[in-house]
Coordinates of all heavy atoms in Angstrom, one line a residue:
G39 N -8.8 21.6 15.1 CA -8.4 22.1 13.8 C -8.1 23.6 13.9 O -8.7 24.3 14.6
S40 N -7.2 24.0 13.1 CA -6.9 25.5 13.0 C -7.4 26.0 11.7 O -7.0 27.1 11.3 CB -5.4 25.7 13.2 OG -4.7 25.0 12.2
V41 N -8.3 25.3 11.0 CA -8.8 25.8 9.7 C -9.8 26.9 9.9 O -10.1 27.6 8.9 CB -9.4 24.7 8.9 CG1 -8.3 23.7 8.4 CG2 -10.5 23.9 9.6
R42 N -10.4 27.0 11.0 CA -11.5 28.0 11.2 C -11.0 29.0 12.4 O -10.9 28.5 13.5 CB -12.8 27.4 11.6 CG -13.4 26.5 10.5 CD -13.9 27.4 9.3 NE -14.7 26.7 8.4 CZ -14.2 26.1 7.3 NH1 -13.0 26.3 7.0 NH2 -15.0 25.4 6.5
K43 N -10.9 30.3 12.1 CA -10.6 31.3 13.1 C -11.6 32.4 13.1 O -11.3 33.5 13.6 CB -9.1 31.8 12.9 CG -8.1 30.6 13.1 CD -6.7 31.1 13.1 CE -5.8 29.9 13.3 NZ -4.4 30.3 13.4
T44 N -12.7 32.2 12.4 CA -13.8 33.1 12.4 C -15.1 32.4 12.7 O -15.2 31.2 12.5 CB -13.9 33.8 11.0 OG1 -14.2 32.8 10.0 CG2 -12.7 34.6 10.6
S45 N -16.1 33.2 13.3 CA -17.4 32.6 13.6 C -18.1 32.4 12.3 O -17.7 32.8 11.2 CB -18.1 33.5 14.5 OG -18.5 34.7 13.8
K46 N -19.3 31.8 12.4 CA -20.2 31.5 11.3 C -20.6 32.7 10.5 O -20.7 32.7 9.3 CB -21.4 30.8 11.8 CG -22.1 30.0 10.7 CD -23.2 29.1 11.3 CE -23.7 28.1 10.3 NZ -24.6 27.1 10.9
S47 N -20.7 33.8 11.3 CA -21.1 35.1 10.6 C -19.8 35.9 10.1 O -20.0 37.0 9.5 CB -21.8 36.0 11.7 OG -20.9 36.4 12.7
G48 N -18.6 35.3 10.3 CA -17.5 35.9 9.7 C -16.7 36.8 10.7 O -15.7 37.4 10.3
K49 N -17.1 36.9 11.9 CA -16.4 37.7 12.9 C -15.1 37.0 13.4 O -15.1 35.8 13.6 CB -17.3 38.0 14.1 CG -18.5 38.9 13.7 CD -19.4 39.2 14.9 CE -20.6 40.0 14.4 NZ -21.6 40.0 15.3
A50 N -14.1 37.7 13.6 CA -12.8 37.1 14.1 C -12.9 36.6 15.5 O -13.5 37.2 16.4 CB -11.7 38.2 14.0
C51 N -12.4 35.4 15.7 CA -12.3 34.8 17.0 C -11.2 35.4 17.8 O -10.1 35.7 17.2 CB -12.0 33.3 16.9 SG -13.3 32.4 16.0
I52 N -11.4 35.7 19.1 CA -10.3 36.2 19.9 C -9.6 35.0 20.6 O -10.0 33.9 20.6 CB -10.9 37.2 21.0 CG1 -11.7 36.4 22.0 CG2 -11.7 38.3 20.3 CD1 -12.1 37.3 23.3
D53 N -8.4 35.4 21.1 CA -7.6 34.4 21.8 C -8.3 33.8 23.0 O -8.9 34.6 23.8 CB -6.2 35.0 22.2 CG -5.2 33.9 22.5 OD1 -5.5 33.2 23.5 OD2 -4.2 33.8 21.8
W54 N -8.3 32.5 23.1 CA -9.0 31.8 24.2 C -8.4 32.2 25.6 O -9.1 32.1 26.6 CB -8.9 30.3 24.1 CG -9.8 29.8 23.0 CD1 -9.5 29.6 21.7 CD2 -11.2 29.4 23.2 NE1 -10.6 29.1 21.0 CE2 -11.7 29.0 21.9 CE3 -12.1 29.4 24.3 CZ2 -12.9 28.6 21.7 CZ3 -13.4 28.9 24.0 CH2 -13.8 28.5 22.7
S55 N -7.2 32.7 25.6 CA -6.6 33.2 26.9 C -7.3 34.4 27.5 O -7.2 34.8 28.7 CB -5.1 33.5 26.7 OG -4.9 34.6 25.9
K56 N -8.2 35.1 26.7 CA -8.9 36.3 27.1 C -10.4 35.9 27.5 O -11.2 36.8 27.6 CB -8.9 37.3 26.0 CG -7.5 37.8 25.7 CD -7.5 38.8 24.6 CE -6.1 39.2 24.2 NZ -6.1 39.9 22.9
T57 N -10.7 34.6 27.6 CA -12.1 34.2 27.8 C -12.2 33.4 29.1 O -11.2 33.0 29.7 CB -12.5 33.2 26.6 OG1 -11.9 32.0 26.8 CG2 -12.1 33.8 25.3

Side-chain angles (χ1 to χ4, degrees):
S40 60
V41 293
R42 297 286 191 267
K43 295 185 179 188
T44 58
S45 70
K46 201 170 191 174
S47 68
K49 295 178 183 165
C51 299
I52 67 168
D53 195 296
W54 285 90
S55 65
K56 299 175 183 171
T57 73

